[in-house]
Amino acid sequence: MNDQLSAPAVDVIVLGAGMAGLVAAVRLAEAGLRVTTVAKGYGSLRLSPATIDILGYRPDPVDSPAQALPDFAAAHPEHPYARISPATLAEAVQWLKEHVGTYAYVGDPDTNMLLPTALGVPRPSAVVPETMAAGDLRSAGPLVIAGIGVLKDFHPALVAENLEAATAARGRAVKARPVLLNPPANGQADVGAMALARRFEDAAFRRAVAAELRAAVAGEEAIGLPAVLGLDQARSVWTELQQATGRPVFEIPTPVPPSVPGMRLARALQDRLRRAGGRFVLGAEAAGPELRHSELVGVRIRAAARVTPRTCRWVVLATGGLSAGGIEVDVSGTASERALGLPVHAPGPGEAGFLPGYLSDHPMETAGLRVDSSLRPVGPDGEPVYENVYAAGAVIGGARPWREKSGDGISLSTGYLAAEAILKEAG
Amino acid sequence: MEEGRDPHVRLGRVAATASAAAECEVLVIGGGSTGVGVARDAAMRGFSTILVERGDLATGTTGRFHGLLHSGGRYAVKDPQAARECIGENIILRRIAADCIEDTGGLFVTTPIDDPQYADRFIAGCQDTGVPAEEIPVAEALRREPRLNPRITRAFVVPDATADAWKTVWTCARSATEYGARILPYHEVVAVTKDGDQVTGILARRPDGEQVQIRAQVTVNAAGAWAGRIAALAGCQVNISPGKGIMMATNHRLVQTVVNRCEMPADGDILVPIRTVSVIGTTDIRTEDPDHWEITRAEIDQMLESGENLVPGFTAARMLRVWGGVRPLFQDHAPADTRDVTRAHAVLDHRKRDGVAAFLTITGGKFCTFRLMAQDVVDTVCTVLGTTRASRTADEPLPDSQERRFYTLGSRLAERERTLTDEQLICECELVRRGRLEDEMSRRPAPSLDDLRRALRLGMGPCQGGFCMYRAAGILHQLKHLSAAEADQALVAFLEERWKGVYPLLHGDQLREAWLDDWIFQGVLDVEHLPRAAPALPREAGPRETATGRAT
Amino acid sequence: MTAEHEFGIIRDSLDHCVKCTICESACPVAAVTPLFPGPKYVGPQAERFRGAGPSVDASLDYCSSCGICTLACPQGVHVAEINSQARAVMKNQKGMPLRDQIISRTPVQGRLGTPVAPLANFALSNRFARLMIEKVVGVHRDAAVPKFAGHTFQRWARRHAAPAAAGTKQVVYFHGCSTNYFEPGLGRMTVAVLEHNGFRVVVPPQGCCGLPLQSNGIFDAARGYVRQLVSHLVPYARQGDVIVATSTSCGLMLKREAIEILGVQDEDLRTVSTQTYDICEFLADLHAAGELKTDFRPVPLTVTYHAPCQQQGHNMGKPALDLLDLIPELKVIELDRACCGIAGTYGLKREKYDIAMQVGSGLFDDIRAAQPDQAVCDSETCRWQISHGTGRTSVHPVEVLYRAYGLG
């Protein structure tokens, strides 16, 4: 009905609402472009601890991501970081800090903090929510790790014991001991992270928790809690607990989704998008490019009842990697890119995509798009498939995000760079 | 009886560790269905009994097949003896082990690749062997099972059922314990001791590495695919030809009834709805070593094709994992002497065959005849010991089966409805409550997460442990007073073990799941960088649990 | 032993579930009551335990079928649809309460209530009568029920002559039961807006889309209703006419739910489905093509806009916002709450009313805080719930356009 139109309906269609997609969309919308984000569901940012891990392991440990990145990029020319300059990274981090709003992100690309995981492993992370920073094991004093009885996704005893052993092995032992809190839970035995986060936004609940904590802490201990300290009110919940206990309090990300810190960040960015006038179409999916004389003039969008072409000037492809389904592998072992059908760099059918050892370097791990220096997906000849399509996030191949500890850093910086590339063209 | 309402928990442990030298009348080697069946029958007849198994119970052949409780229809033409035994035991097991059995019923269908003539031979064979089989219109079969291949030409209803192998084995073990038997998993036979030409017992290695002597008046070799090796330790010859077969589980039940091809037994001719999945099986490839073999891509493709023939669209269904098992095929080198031709299994008295006294081997047979096999060998034990004691296993129900109520697919869902707000759900995919998990942990001295997986189906659903294993490791750490290093190792061991069954077939939805699980364990928990302070647990001793699969 | 479920894309979509729990974190009902274990639990997870034997999980019935879980799922699991089908199986096994049979048959209510509208409306607003209704039928005494208009939209449409200026472009109006029996004014405004844009509006005899029957698990009757509705609409659809719907819920039924949930594999339904547009979707597309009249007068009002769950289910974004943006001086506050709580007939039920009001409480607070002149919302049941929860007038976006065009 609307395809006689010559002027595109919007400037940019952003496919995907994870970190990369939201960062790009917000940046573009705030610069005044008309942006529509199309997402087939909520992005995997809501599953992520939302610490900005830039680079943690090379595989040897990295103390300063900013310093390590140039050599790392040179050694891995197909890695997304090979397209990211230190300046872009710094700008992207700064941009995020300014755009979260509900609470602050602290840290910078020059230094990795070491934050305890829910197994007590010190994990390198560069830029983290302020609610987590006091857990930095490089400088932490004695810790009390407080679990909450009704939350099955956090085991303080395991955290404390492993934390002590791990820090001792690294040369600076941090003492840690577990306690278990049992605040009022309305008779529920099984309360998930999200529900608990909402409870923390209730003043009476907070008071009960603070009272238990005060009775439990000793000496100079700082308090580690699972990352459930409020949803949109995280800053005030965390501040109040610190005041009420007189101690530094820090959150430890819970391992099992959904992630409360991830929710906070996703909601904050989605809110910014809405206020910047960006449109958000949920539950729709890209069904291929809309071409005119082999130029991409839009995206075919599958919604209820129909596939409709939506025209645009640029596309940001941020549909995610193998876990989100942006890159898929069928039963024969063939990898493909789901939204636009772009060529994927991956082991083919008949080639081993996975190796027997669990922690091996599986060839399929790095499957994804290859991109040029502007993040445009390229074909086997190295040339962009479409002049006006930019990729961001896990859909770009070449990385091993879980083992490098680089996932959010890649998403943030490539989302930022993709937007920048488009803004340059838009003039 | 619903799971969890367990009146026997108060009796404490089912599995134990031998503290010092032990003595008994009957020693059983092998903790599969046959072995625990023997232990139970012997203990019920008043014999002091000890069972040793080198790994966890039912980690040999018993725990690795699809769970089909045959009606006998499969053998009605090819092996009438086996068919008669199957239907006979099918009826008995339904009577005594209802809680372990789901009355799914079965269908035999003539698919486009099957010989249409076979169906008539099938129905005749069923009549001859006493297997109830009734022909139904194809339209009716398709109504009952909408996913069935619409091009089938004939359909027959038989009383197939499915049995949860681990539940059956552990319930038998529990019953045996109640009758005074001692069940010792993770005790590996190192040597068979003799006095002259009489077997006096064994030397076994305990989980902590110490060796312990167990003396017995009669030793029964129920080691299945490993029976030849055990026999050799006693200086006897038992020719076992291991036959490997692979199976694959789909994420959800594509059928609610067992579906068999109406054809001579062939590879991949059965699709079994067992618990929350359906399993296609199996192949048959001779292998030398029951402990080391491969899962090949060719076999995987063969099973996918077989599944597609029964249920169109099978290839596109989500596959949870692939695994293999080894059938013990007995090749009798001395047929006339000891083999009872009315039986599809064999009790070997080695005094007659090899001149070695007080040593029996029970071999052959199949899961659904384990009770009968146990009965036969314990009858022979009685003869050897010069006493007459009758078996009661055909009549006395197993624990939890007294009310003769079959397991139903919805039972855990119904149970959870009652505990929605009272108790934590640890494994969400398979609905395992915290109390149930803690009970199971209490029943054993030092369970691994894999042991718990087998007993409870913890981590056997779509997420393959991604969501529940951290929780379980934490609970194990606390409840069993493990060190963090031990709990860490339990977790990592589980992850490595799970990966073996998942990676040969990883694609589509299961690949997405695996990636999300990797995010949790590697990205968020960072298991790769756990501190490794404690030495490896003896837990690692034991059978290789899955194949060294390779995509070839 | 027999599987009673609808076989097809819905149940099989459970295979896409990676247990990520995003659906559960988005579910507005699970957020307020522990009686509902959450969409992941009752949908793809419990479905693996169903199909062999009787239905055992009554907690499934607390699902409101708002569909937000399906929207939120990043993997393509049809969570809400799985729940709907499982609920239908359960209710068919356990028996259908009389209440559900009554409240899901809007045409019956309409036909009975319209001739005696003043009396019916009195009864529905009378405290004592509502107490009796709650006792006998199970509709909560305070639940937001509409008023009968006393005349039907169909009657008006039959007498309405298209203006002489109407062009040759034809569009078919699927007005739905609520417009017919309770809000014929909305229907008149819709026709006026379309005619203002040069369309000849056809209002064929129609019927109920069957959505309330479907959401109450009465699938056979629902299929009957929807097939009959389709038979009226398909002649137009076949010749390429666009069918516009002013109820986003009923429109979604034709676009998607009748096919996915009821499993109606009809060629006719598919034809109608591809031609069905939500009214705001249609007008916004017109505007994108440069064909919408934009002669709006200034409207110096503040309005809030809430997109109902089943509007989001169209997966088309919020075209109402694009339209409202065209009206000079109109201040539009886009609200960001998931659900108003009514979820069709869910919030009417005695045992679910409190849950529904808790679900909607955030939205009510936001609206009250914004102090709008009107609360704009595309679904009729949501409008009634919003008025009930906030005391504010609630109107369809078309009504705002109608007044901005100066048509009334």
Side-chain angles (χ1 to χ4, degrees):
Chain A
M1 213 174 28
N2 67 340
D3 43 22
Q4 287 82 24
L5 187 63
S6 51
V10 294
D11 294 314
V12 189
I13 291 179
V14 176
L15 297 174
M19 167 90 92
L22 285 174
V23 166
V26 172
R27 188 145 191 246
L28 291 166
E30 288 187 345
L33 296 189
R34 293 167 303 156
V35 177
T36 296
T37 292
V38 176
K40 75 181 203 283
Y42 283 140
S44 29
L45 180 51
R46 290 165 186 247
L47 311 177
S48 151
T51 53
I52 309 302
D53 301 348
I54 298 176
L55 186 65
Y57 289 97
R58 256 179 314 215
D60 53 304
V62 171
D63 291 325
S64 169
Q67 284 176 26
L69 228 41
D71 285 344
F72 182 83
H76 302 89
E78 294 309 327
H79 195 282
Y81 277 150
R83 316 283 179 265
I84 304 292
S85 70
T88 302
L89 180 63
E91 275 175 44
V93 166
Q94 188 54 32
W95 182 93
L96 184 76
K97 287 181 175 182
E98 287 161 6
H99 278 76
V100 177
T102 46
Y103 62 176
Y105 268 70
V106 301
D108 60 70
D110 287 323
T111 328
N112 269 334
M113 298 183 229
L114 284 178
L115 299 184
T117 71
L119 263 182
V121 178
R123 193 186 65 164
S125 197
V127 181
V128 309
E130 59 184 340
T131 53
M132 296 186 193
D136 188 355
L137 296 170
R138 296 174 307 153
S139 53
L143 305 174
V144 62
I145 308 293
I148 300 174
V150 293
L151 180 69
K152 64 200 176 199
D153 294 324
F154 188 74
H155 289 281
L158 215 42
V159 175
E161 207 180 316
N162 274 329
L163 200 158
E164 280 195 348
T167 50
R170 283 164 193 251
R172 185 184 176 276
V174 174
K175 293 201 71 54
R177 65 181 179 92
V179 300
L180 199 62
L181 309 177
N182 284 296
N186 286 347
Q188 302 297 308
D190 195 352
V191 182
M194 279 294 287
L196 210 46
R198 290 194 190 103
R199 299 279 294 143
F200 265 97
E201 292 184 344
D202 170 64
F205 184 83
R206 278 198 303 279
R207 279 196 295 275
V209 170
E212 272 194 89
L213 283 172
R214 275 195 301 270
V217 294
E220 296 298 314
E221 286 171 336
I223 303 171
L225 281 157
V228 292
L229 304 183
L231 196 55
D232 298 321
Q233 297 168 34
R235 165 167 265 187
S236 56
V237 170
W238 168 70
T239 310
E240 189 182 305
L241 281 173
Q242 292 200 128
Q243 283 168 356
T245 56
R247 317 266 168 163
V249 168
F250 62 96
E251 290 187 307
I252 299 172
T254 52
V256 174
S259 159
V260 172
M263 291 276 167
R264 295 173 192 150
L265 184 55
R267 285 157 71 104
L269 290 174
Q270 262 176 259
D271 203 52
R272 294 294 296 227
L273 181 62
R274 192 165 44 84
R275 283 190 272 126
R279 293 284 187 249
F280 195 90
V281 180
L282 188 59
E285 202 186 337
E290 177 75 354
L291 301 175
R292 209 147 287 154
H293 313 302
S294 68
E295 277 191 9
L296 186 141
V297 297
V299 182
R300 301 177 59 71
I301 304 290
R302 177 178 295 113
R306 285 180 289 281
V307 175
T308 311
R310 296 289 177 200
T311 52
C312 63
R313 295 167 68 191
W314 299 277
V315 172
V316 175
L317 181 63
T319 44
L322 286 167
S323 61
I327 305 287
E328 298 183 303
V329 178
D330 69 17
V331 66
S332 76
T334 309
S336 60
E337 184 273 307
R338 186 186 170 113
L340 299 177
L342 294 166
V344 172
H345 194 269
E351 294 173 75
F354 308 98
L355 304 175
Y358 175 58
L359 285 169
S360 310
D361 287 344
H362 305 290
M364 195 58 89
E365 223 171 345
T366 54
L369 303 177
R370 286 272 183 266
V371 295
D372 67 9
S373 56
S374 306
L375 298 183
R376 286 179 300 186
V378 299
D381 59 357
E383 291 302 310
V385 180
Y386 303 110
E387 294 295 324
N388 52 351
V389 173
Y390 294 83
V395 73
I396 303 174
R400 298 183 189 279
W402 319 148
R403 302 183 60 210
E404 293 163 359
K405 308 294 182 280
S406 62
D408 285 312
I410 292 172
S411 294
L412 170 60
S413 54
T414 54
Y416 185 85
L417 184 61
E420 187 167 285
I422 290 173
L423 287 173
K424 265 206 199 98
E425 279 188 48
Chain B
M1 184 118 193
E2 299 93 343
E3 289 177 304
R5 303 282 182 87
D6 187 346
H8 302 286
V9 150
R10 65 180 176 277
L11 292 176
R13 293 189 172 174
V14 177
T17 303
S19 51
E23 249 186 63
C24 61
E25 289 168 294
V26 180
L27 172 64
V28 185
I29 299 174
S33 55
T34 311
V36 294
V38 173
R40 178 176 184 245
D41 200 337
M44 280 173 76
R45 300 195 211 192
F47 294 113
S48 66
T49 309
I50 293 178
L51 181 150
V52 292
E53 156 62 53
R54 67 172 184 171
D56 186 23
L57 297 188
T59 48
T61 310
T62 302
R64 291 167 178 285
F65 83 122
H66 36 53
L68 176 56
L69 195 67
H70 282 286
S71 58
R74 187 165 200 255
Y75 304 104
V77 173
K78 180 169 183 186
D79 188 347
Q81 177 57 42
R84 282 192 196 90
E85 275 179 16
C86 281
I87 187 63
E89 287 300 302
N90 182 307
I91 292 166
I92 291 173
L93 286 174
R94 281 163 179 266
R95 206 166 55 219
I96 63 154
D99 189 54
C100 304
I101 293 172
E102 184 181 349
D103 187 15
T104 57
L107 286 171
F108 273 80
V109 295
T110 303
T111 72
I113 63 174
D114 297 327
D115 171 13
Q117 312 294 345
Y118 184 83
D120 293 323
R121 298 166 64 195
F122 169 78
I123 196 78
C126 287
Q127 274 162 10
D128 289 342
T129 53
V131 174
E134 179 205 333
E135 182 156 16
I136 58 170
V138 164
E140 171 64 18
L142 295 175
R143 194 194 62 77
R144 294 188 195 189
E145 288 298 345
R147 296 213 66 166
L148 209 46
N149 190 336
R151 290 165 53 218
I152 58 170
T153 50
R154 291 180 79 174
F156 303 87
V157 173
V158 294
D160 282 338
T162 60
D164 185 323
W166 290 298
K167 194 173 177 189
T168 309
V169 165
W170 277 100
T171 312
C172 278
R174 213 167 82 216
S175 173
T177 310
E178 285 165 25
Y179 279 103
R182 270 171 293 171
I183 306 290
L184 307 177
Y186 294 106
H187 285 63
E188 182 162 7
V189 173
V190 167
V192 173
T193 56
K194 286 158 85 168
D195 188 3
D197 56 9
Q198 170 150 335
V199 166
T200 53
I202 60 166
L203 212 54
R205 181 171 44 235
R206 289 189 330 202
D208 61 6
E210 292 299 308
Q211 293 192 357
V212 61
Q213 187 164 68
I214 303 179
R215 295 184 64 84
Q217 292 180 30
V218 179
T219 301
V220 176
N221 172 16
W226 294 264
R229 294 189 180 177
I230 297 295
L233 288 177
C236 302
Q237 186 183 4
V238 174
N239 292 344
I240 301 289
S241 177
K244 173 207 60 165
I246 71 156
M247 278 142 288
M248 285 163 15
T250 61
N251 180 47
H252 72 277
R253 287 199 184 188
L254 303 180
V255 292
Q256 303 287 358
T257 316
V258 177
V259 176
N260 305 264
R261 277 173 56 197
C262 194
E263 181 54 275
M264 291 291 272
D267 289 350
D269 58 352
I270 316 179
L271 183 60
V272 180
I274 176 79
R275 303 298 289 246
T276 46
V277 304
S278 41
V279 175
I280 183 75
T282 176
T283 53
D284 188 357
I285 297 181
R286 289 289 170 276
T287 183
E288 281 305 310
D289 182 349
D291 280 333
H292 293 97
W293 35 271
E294 283 187 339
I295 294 174
T296 62
R297 183 73 217 187
E299 286 176 281
I300 290 173
D301 288 337
Q302 191 187 358
M303 287 301 97
L304 288 172
E305 210 179 296
S306 300
E308 191 74 28
N309 175 50
L310 293 171
V311 169
F314 183 87
T315 314
R318 175 170 170 176
M319 299 292 153
L320 284 187
R321 67 187 282 134
V322 59
W323 71 96
V326 177
R327 302 172 196 72
L329 292 153
F330 172 55
Q331 291 168 322
D332 202 340
H333 68 286
D337 291 289
T338 49
R339 182 100 180 235
D340 180 346
V341 296
T342 67
R343 287 286 194 246
H345 52 268
V347 176
L348 310 178
D349 186 340
H350 290 287
R351 188 170 55 81
K352 298 174 194 166
R353 295 167 65 96
D354 302 274
V356 175
F359 187 61
L360 306 173
T361 294
I362 170 73
T363 184
K366 36 185 57 33
F367 171 79
C368 64
T369 58
F370 82 90
R371 188 213 62 83
L372 184 60
M373 292 163 70
Q375 177 180 290
D376 284 351
V377 73
V378 180
D379 284 345
T380 308
V381 166
C382 286
T383 309
V384 168
L385 292 178
T387 168
T388 312
R389 305 181 193 183
S391 173
R392 297 186 338 259
T393 57
D395 298 302
E396 180 167 317
L398 284 175
D400 297 341
S401 288
Q402 293 90 339
E403 290 166 47
R404 294 226 216 156
R405 262 190 289 164
F406 290 120
Y407 166 83
T408 54
L409 176 61
S411 66
R412 279 191 182 178
L413 192 58
E415 193 197 330
R416 182 59 185 165
E417 280 288 294
R418 290 188 288 274
T419 63
L420 266 181
T421 52
D422 300 338
E423 205 179 344
Q424 289 179 349
L425 199 60
I426 300 303
C427 172
E428 297 170 53
C429 298
E430 294 292 322
L431 299 178
V432 181
R433 307 179 283 110
R434 183 169 184 144
R436 194 80 182 77
L437 178 63
E438 291 178 344
D439 284 350
E440 196 61 41
M441 287 179 182
S442 310
R443 285 192 191 159
R444 312 200 206 188
S448 70
L449 292 172
D450 233 6
D451 293 339
L452 297 167
R453 174 181 70 88
R454 278 184 288 271
L456 299 171
R457 298 186 66 82
L458 186 79
M460 285 181 68
C463 84
Q464 291 287 296
F467 281 56
C468 56
M469 278 306 152
Y470 170 80
R471 297 168 183 161
I475 295 170
L476 192 65
H477 174 241
Q478 268 182 275
L479 205 69
K480 302 302 266 186
H481 309 293
L482 300 184
S483 68
E486 288 171 321
D488 296 344
Q489 258 149 18
L491 184 58
V492 173
F494 179 87
L495 294 176
E496 285 169 353
E497 202 50 50
R498 176 199 59 170
W499 181 251
K500 290 182 196 166
V502 156
Y503 87 89
L505 194 52
L506 206 49
H507 67 277
D509 290 319
Q510 200 59 32
L511 175 54
R512 281 194 252 194
E513 183 75 69
W515 247 232
L516 177 61
D517 290 351
D518 281 356
W519 186 337
I520 293 170
F521 288 112
Q522 294 172 30
V524 183
L525 289 172
D526 202 358
V527 294
E528 187 176 359
H529 298 103
L530 279 167
R532 300 251 189 277
L537 291 171
R539 183 62 62 246
E540 270 95 80
R544 303 291 83 71
E545 305 231 318
T546 48
T548 51
R550 214 164 297 141
T552 49
Chain C
M1 216 169 72
T2 319
E4 290 178 35
H5 286 80
E6 302 282 345
F7 155 65
I9 57 168
I10 296 304
R11 177 168 153 93
D12 288 343
S13 78
L14 81 84
D15 271 352
H16 299 318
C17 179
V18 293
K19 318 305 299 267
C20 73
T21 325
I22 281 182
C23 59
E24 219 143 86
S25 60
C27 174
V29 176
V32 305
T33 175
L35 292 172
F36 184 55
K40 174 178 88 164
Y41 181 100
V42 306
Q45 187 168 288
E47 188 63 22
R48 295 176 73 240
F49 292 85
R50 298 187 187 121
S55 180
V56 295
D57 51 336
S59 59
L60 160 60
D61 196 39
Y62 283 99
C63 168
S64 71
S65 296
C66 69
I68 288 174
C69 45
T70 300
L71 279 179
C73 175
Q75 306 292 0
V77 182
H78 294 277
V79 189
E81 292 76 6
I82 290 172
N83 297 348
S84 293
Q85 289 183 348
R87 193 215 314 269
V89 169
M90 177 173 77
K91 291 179 86 165
N92 277 295
Q93 282 178 10
K94 296 196 186 316
M96 207 63 70
L98 176 66
R99 170 198 64 199
D100 297 356
Q101 300 270 13
I102 294 174
I103 63 177
S104 53
R105 286 179 165 78
T106 332
V108 173
Q109 297 162 33
R111 281 196 292 273
L112 291 176
T114 300
V116 296
L119 186 62
N121 292 337
F122 173 74
L124 289 173
S125 58
N126 174 267
R127 186 115 188 108
F128 181 71
R130 287 297 295 268
L131 272 166
M132 295 315 306
I133 290 171
E134 180 181 309
K135 257 201 185 11
V136 172
V137 177
V139 171
H140 194 279
R141 70 193 71 165
D142 295 325
V145 295
K147 285 186 161 24
F148 291 93
H151 60 276
T152 64
F153 174 69
Q154 274 279 327
R155 197 181 73 165
W156 176 89
R158 280 195 296 276
R159 293 165 192 195
H160 174 74
T168 52
K169 295 181 297 183
Q170 179 167 286
V171 74
V172 176
Y173 182 26
F174 163 47
H175 52 75
C177 301
S178 67
T179 306
N180 200 31
Y181 300 111
F182 308 117
E183 296 179 329
L186 173 59
R188 291 194 289 273
M189 289 188 256
T190 304
V191 171
V193 166
L194 288 166
E195 286 175 347
H196 183 72
N197 279 282
F199 287 93
R200 170 187 302 279
V201 183
V202 175
V203 184
Q206 20 198 282
C208 180
C209 67
L211 176 57
L213 284 165
Q214 172 189 280
S215 58
N216 280 282
I218 310 170
F219 277 18
D220 283 337
R223 286 188 196 105
Y225 272 32
V226 79
R227 284 201 169 102
Q228 196 172 44
L229 170 62
V230 163
S231 70
H232 291 298
L233 299 176
V234 74
Y236 301 98
R238 280 200 200 113
Q239 66 193 26
D241 287 340
V242 162
I243 301 164
V244 290
T246 42
S247 165
T248 47
S249 321
C250 306
L252 189 62
M253 187 64 180
L254 284 182
K255 273 193 184 185
R256 183 157 71 76
E257 293 192 351
I259 299 170
E260 286 182 1
I261 300 179
L262 297 181
V264 177
Q265 304 287 344
D266 231 37
E267 203 43 57
D268 286 353
L269 173 54
R270 285 202 189 271
T271 307
V272 166
S273 181
T274 11
Q275 292 303 111
T276 301
Y277 287 76
D278 171 71
I279 183 69
C280 292
E281 178 189 10
F282 177 70
L283 295 173
D285 281 351
L286 276 185
H287 177 62
E291 291 167 16
L292 182 76
K293 289 185 90 160
T294 51
D295 53 332
F296 296 111
R297 299 173 186 185
V299 178
L301 295 179
T302 299
V303 300
T304 53
Y305 176 68
H306 167 67
C309 317
Q310 282 175 319
Q311 186 278 348
Q312 301 218 52
H314 289 243
N315 315 138
M316 57 188 180
K318 300 179 184 178
L321 285 179
D322 294 332
L323 295 170
L324 295 174
D325 273 354
L326 300 171
I327 300 174
E329 295 186 34
L330 182 68
K331 181 164 177 233
V332 182
I333 302 170
E334 182 190 350
L335 301 173
D336 191 30
R337 296 288 181 166
C339 181
C340 71
I342 190 77
T345 55
Y346 183 88
L348 300 176
K349 299 174 180 177
R350 172 182 49 211
E351 73 279 11
K352 298 180 172 120
Y353 173 81
D354 287 327
I355 296 172
M357 291 306 283
Q358 275 183 71
V359 167
S361 63
L363 178 66
F364 305 152
D365 289 344
D366 285 355
I367 291 175
R368 276 194 288 262
Q371 297 184 312
D373 300 292
Q374 291 174 331
V376 178
C377 183
D378 322 56
S379 157
E380 64 280 4
T381 50
C382 303
R383 285 196 294 277
W384 305 329
Q385 172 82 339
I386 285 171
S387 292
H388 174 58
T390 63
R392 303 242 160 210
T393 331
S394 186
V395 300
H396 191 289
V398 158
E399 182 165 337
V400 184
L401 296 174
Y402 175 83
R403 302 210 187 280
Y405 276 140
L407 298 173

